[in-house]
């Protein structure tokens, strides 16, 4: 396997080793809305809103013409494998299941009067086969508003979804209906308009049971729930706005990105303030949650980067989207910014580290008039042959 003894020098050496530029499908710039890696295979899936040229069409026809592209990339071969278009339901929050050729995602379009849509609710979650571009299952009686997050378990066939309807639902890939529903209009989240969610595996359990799900609302008010009972843990409430109301007036700002570290000891989220994106990093205790969770360990200012970020596999570094498509590297042992890595993209809308490799990916628009949404793979300069490393499983 790879050596993850990352240092400041190695992190500062990361550069774009591979660019994926999908063809421009219309006159308008496209936007990458989600990105995910398969847990075991060197596969990446991205979702882009590829707006087609539908000038002159009636509103209903134009709405149907707008397509969403699901693209699958083979990182071992360094190539694009296939594209699946979805102009009917739209796609958001696409995530791999255990199977490398299937994903779950939520609808991103709303329909009112179309006859074919009478059997399908808006904001439906789908199980989709990438092999034959077909639906495996439609999950019924789901959310009543937009789905903002989907998290798939790494140990079984369960997954969670979080929606603007102020609920978190637990699903089984093998069953059509939700197994459990958590209503989050409690514990101070009753006024939450755009809740976010992240699944936290228990690092102290040898079976790696998904033990916790963190749910957050405006201003960074976050509560941790037991995944088995969907009841809140005692002393597991984060309320950073109590300490930062005067310095950073972002109490009503929705959470842009919410993630946990790979060992479960760190949690971070980003908010928008008058200084741009602000990332708060908390030191948590997965066993007891009795530390001071009102004061962050670090506060990073990412400026106009938008708020996307991710942890390195060893949790020693945090990477965040910076201005003009750059990537900021933050050292989580001393809180200092190690480097600002430049790229040829206009912005970054997705950022994710492949946990099994010394590789991370970003998604964003090209820095030209077309603004095509593509993906960039970043590698350290000391790793000269990325394809061979991935192919051999290192």
């Amino acid at each position: 396997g790879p050596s993850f003894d990352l240092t400041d020098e190695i992190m500062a050496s990361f550069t774009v080793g591979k660019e994926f530029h999908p063809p421009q499908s219309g006159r308008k710039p496209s936007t990458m809305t989600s990105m995910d890696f398969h847990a075991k295979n060197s596969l990446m899936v991205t979702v882009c809103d590829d707006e087609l040229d539908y000038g002159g069409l009636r509103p209903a026809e134009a709405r149907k013409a707008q397509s969403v592209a699901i693209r699958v990339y083979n990182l071992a071969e360094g190539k694009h494998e296939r594209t699946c278009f979805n102009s009917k339901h739209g796609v958001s929050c696409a995530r791999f299941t255990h199977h490398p050729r299937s994903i779950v995602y939520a609808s991103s379009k709303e329909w009112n009067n179309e006859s074919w849509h009478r059997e399908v609710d808006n904001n439906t979650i789908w199980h989709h086969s990438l092999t034959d571009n077909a639906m495996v299952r439609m999950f019924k009686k789901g959310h009543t508003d937009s789905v903002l997050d989907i998290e798939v378990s790494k140990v079984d066939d369960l997954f969670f979804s979080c929606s603007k309807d102020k609920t978190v639902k637990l699903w089984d890939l093998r069953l059509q209906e939700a197994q459990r529903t958590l209503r989050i209009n409690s514990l101070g989240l009753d006024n939450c308009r755009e809740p976010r969610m992240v699944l936290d595996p228990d690092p102290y359990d040898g079976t790696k049971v998904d033990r916790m799900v963190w749910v957050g609302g405006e201003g960074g008010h976050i509560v941790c729930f037991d995944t088995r009972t969907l009841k809140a843990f005692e002393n597991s409430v984060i309320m950073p706005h109590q300490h930062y109301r005067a310095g950073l007036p972002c109490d009503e700002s929705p959470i842009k990105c919410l993630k946990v570290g790979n060992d479960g000891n760190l949690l971070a989220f980003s908010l928008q303030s008058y200084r741009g994106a602000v990332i708060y990093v908390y030191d948590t205790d997965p066993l007891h949650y009795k530390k001071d969770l009102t004061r962050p360990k670090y506060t990073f200012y990412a400026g106009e980067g938008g708020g996307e970020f991710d942890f390195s596999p060893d949790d020693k570094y945090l990477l965040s989207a910076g201005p003009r498509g750059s990537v900021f590297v933050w050292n989580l042992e001393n809180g200092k910014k190690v480097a600002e890595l430049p790229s040829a993209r206009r912005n970054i809308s997705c950022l994710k580290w492949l946990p099994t490799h010394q590789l991370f990916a970003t998604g964003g628009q090209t820095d030209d008039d077309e603004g095509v949404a593509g993906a960039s793979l970043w590698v350290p300069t000391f790793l000269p042959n990325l394809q061979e490393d991935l192919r051999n499983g290192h």
Side-chain angles (χ1 to χ4, degrees):
S3 172
F4 289 118
D5 188 17
L6 298 174
T7 63
D8 289 359
E9 292 74 21
I10 293 175
M11 296 302 300
S13 76
F14 269 80
T15 186
V16 175
K18 178 72 175 180
E19 294 270 17
F20 294 109
H21 293 296
Q24 175 70 5
S25 59
R27 294 178 182 174
K28 297 183 179 180
S30 54
T31 302
M32 184 175 293
T33 58
S34 68
M35 169 189 290
D36 194 34
F37 294 117
H38 190 265
K40 295 182 179 180
N41 297 70
S42 298
L43 296 173
M44 177 175 70
V45 62
T46 65
V47 174
C48 295
D49 292 332
D50 286 12
E51 298 195 39
L52 304 180
D53 181 9
Y54 44 77
L57 297 178
R58 294 192 298 270
E61 295 174 336
R63 202 169 56 210
K64 290 182 180 179
Q66 183 177 354
S67 183
V68 175
I70 305 171
R71 294 188 173 91
V72 181
Y73 298 94
N74 187 321
L75 304 184
E77 301 296 331
K79 66 180 183 180
H80 165 253
E81 278 201 350
R82 70 171 304 172
T83 299
C84 303
F85 288 100
N86 186 323
S87 60
K88 183 178 290 187
H89 307 292
V91 179
S92 67
C93 308
R95 299 290 183 266
F96 274 112
T97 66
H98 297 301
H99 195 283
R101 299 297 172 182
S102 72
I103 59 175
V104 291
Y105 63 79
S107 300
S108 60
K109 292 186 179 182
E110 293 188 1
W111 306 89
N112 298 316
N113 301 317
E114 287 75 4
S115 59
W116 59 265
H117 196 265
R118 291 172 183 169
E119 299 299 322
V120 179
D121 296 329
N122 291 323
N123 316 300
T124 297
I125 297 176
W126 305 85
H127 186 187
H128 185 101
S129 170
L130 297 172
T131 302
D132 48 12
N133 191 24
M135 298 298 177
V136 178
R137 179 168 289 107
M138 176 183 70
F139 297 97
K140 296 183 176 181
K141 298 181 181 179
H143 294 287
T144 59
D145 207 336
S146 300
V147 177
L148 299 177
D149 280 315
I150 291 178
E151 288 282 319
V152 179
S153 170
K154 295 180 175 61
V155 296
D156 50 34
D157 287 323
L158 302 180
F159 70 93
F160 294 80
S161 60
C162 181
S163 167
K164 283 185 177 181
D165 65 8
K166 301 181 182 180
T167 64
V168 172
K169 291 182 179 291
L170 171 64
W171 306 84
D172 190 317
L173 286 170
R174 301 161 294 186
L175 304 173
Q176 279 193 319
E177 297 187 3
Q179 303 303 292
R180 198 171 295 132
T181 297
L182 164 67
R183 304 189 184 281
I184 63 174
N185 55 345
S186 60
L187 298 177
L189 294 175
D190 52 323
N191 296 321
C192 176
R193 300 182 303 275
E194 297 185 27
R196 303 306 298 266
M197 171 199 66
V198 64
L199 192 61
D200 186 3
D202 184 358
Y204 293 97
D205 191 323
T207 59
K208 291 286 184 180
V209 173
D210 299 307
R211 182 184 172 197
M212 295 157 282
V213 56
W214 294 84
V215 181
E218 281 76 3
H221 185 163
I222 300 175
V223 181
C224 182
F225 295 88
D226 187 323
T227 58
R228 298 177 181 88
T229 63
L230 289 186
K231 293 182 179 179
F233 281 105
E234 185 180 358
N235 302 320
S236 65
V237 179
I238 294 177
M239 299 183 67
H241 55 282
Q242 291 182 341
H243 289 279
Y244 290 85
R245 186 181 302 275
L248 291 172
C250 52
D251 294 357
E252 301 304 318
S253 175
I255 292 176
K256 170 64 177 176
C257 186
L258 173 65
K259 293 186 179 181
V260 293
N262 295 283
D263 64 0
N265 290 325
L266 293 174
L267 177 142
F269 60 88
S270 60
L271 302 173
Q272 288 291 331
S273 75
Y274 69 92
R275 297 183 61 174
V278 185
I279 301 172
Y280 298 94
V281 181
Y282 282 80
D283 186 5
T284 61
D285 184 343
L287 289 181
H288 305 293
Y289 295 101
K290 292 183 178 178
K291 295 182 179 179
D292 181 8
L293 296 183
T294 60
R295 191 176 298 276
K297 181 179 182 180
Y298 297 119
T299 302
F300 300 138
Y301 301 99
E304 300 175 358
E308 287 294 318
F309 67 87
D310 203 3
F311 292 96
S312 64
D314 56 8
D315 288 343
K316 292 182 180 179
Y317 296 90
L318 183 143
L319 293 83
S320 68
R324 301 174 302 281
S326 63
V327 175
F328 289 164
V329 181
W330 309 90
N331 187 314
L332 294 177
E333 294 181 340
N334 56 31
K336 296 181 179 179
K337 184 165 72 172
V338 173
E340 180 176 353
L341 310 175
S343 79
R345 298 205 174 273
R346 180 186 306 168
N347 55 33
I348 291 178
S349 56
C350 296
L351 190 158
K352 197 173 183 69
W353 193 298
L354 180 58
T356 56
H357 297 81
Q358 290 179 330
L359 162 74
F360 70 90
T362 57
Q365 297 174 337
T366 54
D367 194 14
D368 52 32
D369 294 336
E370 292 185 342
V372 179
S376 303
L377 302 182
W378 298 70
V379 294
T381 55
F382 73 88
L383 188 63
N385 196 332
L386 172 63
Q387 278 78 20
E388 182 178 353
D389 178 66
L390 291 171
R391 194 178 296 113
N392 294 334
H394 296 315

PDB file of all heavy atoms in Angstrom, residues 57 102 128 200 269 348 364 388:
ATOM      1  N   LEU A  57     -37.198  27.186 -27.479  1.00  0.00           N
ATOM      2  CA  LEU A  57     -38.139  26.186 -27.007  1.00  0.00           C
ATOM      3  C   LEU A  57     -39.107  26.785 -25.990  1.00  0.00           C
ATOM      4  O   LEU A  57     -38.784  27.743 -25.295  1.00  0.00           O
ATOM      5  CB  LEU A  57     -37.395  25.007 -26.371  1.00  0.00           C
ATOM      6  CG  LEU A  57     -36.464  24.203 -27.274  1.00  0.00           C
ATOM      7  CD1 LEU A  57     -35.794  23.115 -26.451  1.00  0.00           C
ATOM      8  CD2 LEU A  57     -37.206  23.602 -28.446  1.00  0.00           C
ATOM      9  N   SER A 102     -22.692   0.774  -9.568  1.00  0.00           N
ATOM     10  CA  SER A 102     -24.011   1.286  -9.191  1.00  0.00           C
ATOM     11  C   SER A 102     -23.859   2.462  -8.243  1.00  0.00           C
ATOM     12  O   SER A 102     -22.901   2.531  -7.464  1.00  0.00           O
ATOM     13  CB  SER A 102     -24.870   0.183  -8.552  1.00  0.00           C
ATOM     14  OG  SER A 102     -24.416  -0.132  -7.253  1.00  0.00           O
ATOM     15  N   HIS A 128     -29.184   3.380  -9.207  1.00  0.00           N
ATOM     16  CA  HIS A 128     -28.944   3.421 -10.649  1.00  0.00           C
ATOM     17  C   HIS A 128     -27.780   2.507 -11.016  1.00  0.00           C
ATOM     18  O   HIS A 128     -26.728   2.536 -10.377  1.00  0.00           O
ATOM     19  CB  HIS A 128     -28.621   4.862 -11.065  1.00  0.00           C
ATOM     20  CG  HIS A 128     -28.475   5.074 -12.533  1.00  0.00           C
ATOM     21  ND1 HIS A 128     -29.471   5.618 -13.310  1.00  0.00           N
ATOM     22  CD2 HIS A 128     -27.444   4.837 -13.377  1.00  0.00           C
ATOM     23  CE1 HIS A 128     -29.066   5.694 -14.564  1.00  0.00           C
ATOM     24  NE2 HIS A 128     -27.839   5.224 -14.629  1.00  0.00           N
ATOM     25  N   ASP A 200     -20.215   9.226  10.274  1.00  0.00           N
ATOM     26  CA  ASP A 200     -18.943   9.089  10.973  1.00  0.00           C
ATOM     27  C   ASP A 200     -18.756   7.651  11.434  1.00  0.00           C
ATOM     28  O   ASP A 200     -19.437   7.201  12.358  1.00  0.00           O
ATOM     29  CB  ASP A 200     -18.925  10.031  12.184  1.00  0.00           C
ATOM     30  CG  ASP A 200     -17.582  10.054  12.877  1.00  0.00           C
ATOM     31  OD1 ASP A 200     -16.652   9.386  12.392  1.00  0.00           O
ATOM     32  OD2 ASP A 200     -17.457  10.734  13.902  1.00  0.00           O
ATOM     33  N   PHE A 269     -16.503  22.172   9.251  1.00  0.00           N
ATOM     34  CA  PHE A 269     -17.567  22.669   8.383  1.00  0.00           C
ATOM     35  C   PHE A 269     -17.191  24.075   7.919  1.00  0.00           C
ATOM     36  O   PHE A 269     -16.358  24.757   8.528  1.00  0.00           O
ATOM     37  CB  PHE A 269     -18.924  22.677   9.099  1.00  0.00           C
ATOM     38  CG  PHE A 269     -18.967  23.534  10.338  1.00  0.00           C
ATOM     39  CD1 PHE A 269     -19.281  24.876  10.269  1.00  0.00           C
ATOM     40  CD2 PHE A 269     -18.695  22.980  11.582  1.00  0.00           C
ATOM     41  CE1 PHE A 269     -19.318  25.662  11.411  1.00  0.00           C
ATOM     42  CE2 PHE A 269     -18.727  23.749  12.727  1.00  0.00           C
ATOM     43  CZ  PHE A 269     -19.041  25.102  12.639  1.00  0.00           C
ATOM     44  N   ILE A 348     -13.542  26.051  -8.022  1.00  0.00           N
ATOM     45  CA  ILE A 348     -13.615  24.663  -7.558  1.00  0.00           C
ATOM     46  C   ILE A 348     -14.953  24.475  -6.865  1.00  0.00           C
ATOM     47  O   ILE A 348     -15.241  25.137  -5.864  1.00  0.00           O
ATOM     48  CB  ILE A 348     -12.465  24.319  -6.599  1.00  0.00           C
ATOM     49  CG1 ILE A 348     -11.126  24.294  -7.358  1.00  0.00           C
ATOM     50  CG2 ILE A 348     -12.706  22.970  -5.928  1.00  0.00           C
ATOM     51  CD1 ILE A 348      -9.933  24.002  -6.477  1.00  0.00           C
ATOM     52  N   GLY A 364     -14.351  21.701 -11.371  1.00  0.00           N
ATOM     53  CA  GLY A 364     -14.722  23.099 -11.556  1.00  0.00           C
ATOM     54  C   GLY A 364     -14.698  23.488 -13.012  1.00  0.00           C
ATOM     55  O   GLY A 364     -14.410  22.667 -13.889  1.00  0.00           O
ATOM     56  N   GLU A 388       0.492   3.477 -13.033  1.00  0.00           N
ATOM     57  CA  GLU A 388       1.061   2.217 -12.567  1.00  0.00           C
ATOM     58  C   GLU A 388       0.802   2.024 -11.086  1.00  0.00           C
ATOM     59  O   GLU A 388       0.512   0.923 -10.625  1.00  0.00           O
ATOM     60  CB  GLU A 388       2.567   2.181 -12.857  1.00  0.00           C
ATOM     61  CG  GLU A 388       3.222   0.867 -12.442  1.00  0.00           C
ATOM     62  CD  GLU A 388       4.704   0.848 -12.778  1.00  0.00           C
ATOM     63  OE1 GLU A 388       5.179   1.789 -13.452  1.00  0.00           O
ATOM     64  OE2 GLU A 388       5.386  -0.095 -12.347  1.00  0.00           O
TER      65      GLU A 388
END
